[in-house]
Amino acid sequence: MFNRTMLQAAAALASISLVAGCGLFSDDDADGTQHVVVGTMSAPSTLDPAAAWDSSWELYRNVFQTLLSFPTGSTTPQPDAAEKCKFTNPANTAFQCTLREGLTFSNGHPLDAAAVKHSIDRIQRIDVDSGPNGLLGSLREVKQEDDRTVTFHLTKPDATFPFILATPAMSLVDPAEYPADKLREDGKLTGSGPYVLESYQESSKAELKKNTRYNGFADRKNDAVTIRYFKRSEAMVAALKSNEIDATYLGLTAEEVADLQEKKKANEGLQIVESPGVDIRYLVFNPKDPSVRDVEVRQAIAQLIDRGELINKVYRGTAEPLYSMVPKGIAGHATSFFDKYGDPSAAKARDILEEAGIKTPVRLDLWFTTDRYGSATAAEFAEIKRQLEQSKLFEVSIQGKPWKDFQEGYQKGSYPVFGRGWFPDFPDPDNFIAPFVGKENVLGTPYESPEITQQLLPQTRQLSDRGAVSKKFERAQTILVEDVRLLPLWQGKINIASREEIAGSERALDPQMIMQLWTLHRQTSW
């Protein structure tokens, strides 16, 4: 996950937060409380924040607090558990936060500076593989100044550090409930956020209730929330149509969106809202594999991919072409790949390969995950195969694996070309470049680009004004185009389906594309 821009992004991210949502039962509970039921295909992988850098964040945002967060409409981190935070030196290497007075966890234990230090220290100490410690690369130590004040000392300037503290990965936990050197394993959760977790059935549902001890910015419009986790989108849509859930978020296919938009009897009482998204899809090339070791092979693929046709055939307008790793709505967005390659052309691709002396057809294996980015992924890779083979320059086989196995494979460098998706961790262009470069990155394929890692990223992290970094990120994307180690394909649009009586869904999504369930409620009148 990672994110985007400031000044240019303000309007776009504000509209993003107009999108997501969920709703309520058509009637209040017998005691008059408002109860929201949400369907999603993003089940948590763990209940312990020290282990998760994934869709578990959706649950965390609603049951934990972080020092900083993104209230609706904000594009920069704002105080949450903290009363105030700031860099204390010009070099951006010391960041200090003072907590709100009187904070407690839902069990009554104090949420003080010692708890903050414990929460962050254990992420680094436990250091789970593919876990959130990857976000703390610039953190040297956390120092407790007094009962309410902590200072984060960094190894180097990092103006993105406030954004990192605002991610659910940095959720604050009770030292009495969460061991300092290992993960919590009792299947329970203790936080200080808007809700408490009443019960949890893995991969099935989570029952949330309003936290009576909560002290934060969230204006809760409901009293309780049920989150139901679905493995297949058709089951989720059926539950919506049968009034078993009030809204869906994440997982709708293009066909289901189109169906729900049609005015027909089966869709009576339903509504669907579309908004720009900043999640992206892209191909990753492993240069250690002989089939894509030559940059000319990668360039030929970039010359052949027809993003418009891919979106029209597979996603039916629910996505839009992407020509840089930084999507629209984020500072530093560019059209670098289109500027380099223009419209798809088999003739140009053939020239690239012939000039490099590469024999055709080139045999190519494409890999994708079958259960993480939606059921349309298989159709997407079938279309990519069709486009490449239509040129007569490639012979392509495609193979899919469940996420767990797929992840193990790409981390071992087993796949020559594979597809990935990226959801933003925080709204800054750094989050769409930094995770993918360097000797150790989130892709398992080392990508050492000294200009990006040793010059551009360090330079941008010295600038607290994130609107001033665009030119350097545009340069970074030019380098990505030259190397073609990553090939952006499309960025998504967010589609939220809900019952017509649901209000608040336009404010339920924060800039990290995470549901703020507390905004949702049933309108009593129209």
Side-chain angles (χ1 to χ4, degrees), residues 226-241:
T226 297
I227 306 174
R228 287 186 54 188
Y229 300 111
F230 292 85
K231 294 185 182 298
R232 299 186 63 82
S233 59
E234 52 264 44
M236 185 168 67
V237 172
L240 178 67
K241 290 185 174 183

Side-chain angles (χ1 to χ4, degrees), residues 5-19:
T5 252
M6 262 44 308
L7 301 178
Q8 292 178 349
L13 288 177
S15 68
I16 287 171
S17 89
L18 290 177
V19 181

Side-chain angles (χ1 to χ4, degrees), residues 297-434:
V297 172
R298 308 195 298 266
Q299 290 173 342
I301 294 171
Q303 184 65 72
L304 289 170
I305 295 295
D306 189 330
R307 295 167 176 81
E309 192 167 14
L310 173 67
I311 290 168
N312 290 334
K313 285 189 174 182
V314 179
Y315 291 102
R316 299 177 64 177
T318 59
E320 56 184 319
L322 181 63
Y323 295 97
S324 72
M325 291 299 289
V326 179
K328 291 181 180 178
I330 303 301
H333 168 71
T335 56
S336 307
F337 275 89
F338 185 82
D339 297 342
K340 169 75 172 179
Y341 296 101
D343 293 325
S345 170
K348 291 181 180 178
R350 183 177 296 107
D351 289 343
I352 292 171
L353 295 173
E354 287 181 351
E355 288 177 12
I358 295 172
K359 295 181 178 180
T360 58
V362 177
R363 296 184 59 83
L364 196 65
D365 291 331
L366 301 182
W367 289 80
F368 67 95
T369 178
T370 58
D371 60 354
R372 188 168 179 84
Y373 304 124
S375 56
T377 307
E380 175 181 350
F381 275 75
E383 172 61 16
I384 292 173
K385 169 183 167 71
R386 187 197 67 79
Q387 291 183 14
L388 295 179
E389 291 189 334
Q390 182 176 258
S391 70
K392 308 299 183 183
L393 301 173
F394 291 90
E395 290 182 0
V396 180
S397 67
I398 54 176
Q399 300 185 61
K401 283 188 174 184
W403 173 250
K404 183 178 180 180
D405 296 333
F406 176 79
Q407 188 177 33
E408 290 177 358
Y410 76 69
Q411 288 176 343
K412 293 177 181 177
S414 302
Y415 311 143
V417 188
F418 58 95
R420 282 295 309 272
W422 190 252
F423 292 86
D425 290 325
F426 53 86
D428 191 272
D430 185 287
N431 201 220
F432 287 96
I433 302 293

Side-chain angles (χ1 to χ4, degrees), residues 110-188:
L111 198 177
D112 53 15
V116 173
K117 176 174 170 57
H118 173 86
S119 300
I120 307 303
D121 282 350
R122 70 189 296 266
I123 294 173
Q124 292 189 309
R125 184 176 296 115
I126 298 172
D127 193 17
V128 174
D129 289 343
S130 300
N133 191 31
L135 290 169
L136 295 173
S138 64
L139 178 62
R140 187 178 79 237
E141 67 171 342
V142 185
K143 183 179 180 181
Q144 180 181 347
E145 306 292 353
D146 56 40
D147 287 347
R148 291 176 54 206
T149 307
V150 292
T151 302
F152 300 90
H153 293 280
L154 310 180
T155 60
K156 54 190 174 183
D158 188 358
T160 71
F161 193 73
F163 293 84
I164 293 168
L165 289 181
T167 68
M170 304 300 134
S171 294
L172 304 177
V173 300
D174 182 2
E177 302 283 355
Y178 292 82
D181 57 356
K182 64 179 180 179
L183 298 177
R184 183 174 181 176
E185 298 178 346
D186 62 1
K188 297 180 181 180

